[in-house]
Amino acid sequence: MDGVPPWLIKAFRNRVDDLGQRMNSHPRNKKAWKQASVLFELLQKTFSGEQRQMFSEWEDHLALQESIEKEEMYVRGFLDGFHMYACLDELIGQMPISERFGKSDNPHN
């Protein structure tokens, strides 16, 4: 990704991998993964050797592409959040101190 330092990309990859492992092993997701595994086994029984190989290659390609896209969304979400924080910090800095952080009368109360 353009403009993102390699060390930050590595940190995000590690975080995404960790989150993925946690999600896959979380009890609320185990049932869905088990069902997907059973269905996959049934599907594979219907494939010839050549079809199994083609499907495996397709699955590997799809998983890699999805991983790349999820990683980019994670990084871009982080950068968007950081940008928003910086903008809000700048706006707060422009406010009189007496009006910062709910210290003035709030018209929405």
Side-chain angles (χ1 to χ4, degrees):
M1 272 174 273
D2 295 338
V4 181
W7 64 267
L8 187 58
I9 295 293
K10 184 177 180 188
F12 285 132
R13 282 187 182 143
N14 290 339
R15 180 66 175 149
V16 168
D17 289 346
D18 181 56
L19 289 172
Q21 289 174 0
R22 287 183 189 190
M23 286 181 197
N24 287 343
S25 63
H26 194 282
R28 72 171 177 247
N29 298 324
K30 278 191 174 192
K31 183 179 178 183
W33 281 111
K34 182 162 180 59
Q35 182 181 13
S37 179
V38 168
L39 292 171
F40 181 69
E41 287 176 25
L42 290 172
L43 179 64
Q44 280 213 328
K45 288 179 183 179
T46 67
F47 289 157
S48 68
E50 184 179 345
Q51 288 171 321
R52 194 175 296 117
Q53 178 64 32
M54 287 174 55
F55 184 80
S56 179
E57 289 175 18
W58 170 81
E59 186 179 39
D60 289 346
H61 180 77
L62 182 66
L64 178 61
Q65 185 61 34
E66 286 177 339
S67 177
I68 290 168
E69 289 175 8
K70 285 179 184 177
E71 179 181 292
E72 186 169 341
M73 284 190 285
Y74 188 88
V75 171
R76 290 186 186 278
F78 173 83
L79 294 174
D80 287 348
F82 184 78
H83 182 90
M84 181 182 289
Y85 170 80
C87 289
L88 290 173
D89 189 53
E90 184 178 329
L91 287 172
I92 288 171
Q94 295 173 6
M95 294 172 64
I97 292 174
S98 63
E99 294 180 15
R100 292 183 193 177
F101 308 112
K103 294 181 179 177
S104 67
D105 291 332
N106 187 344
H108 302 289
N109 285 340

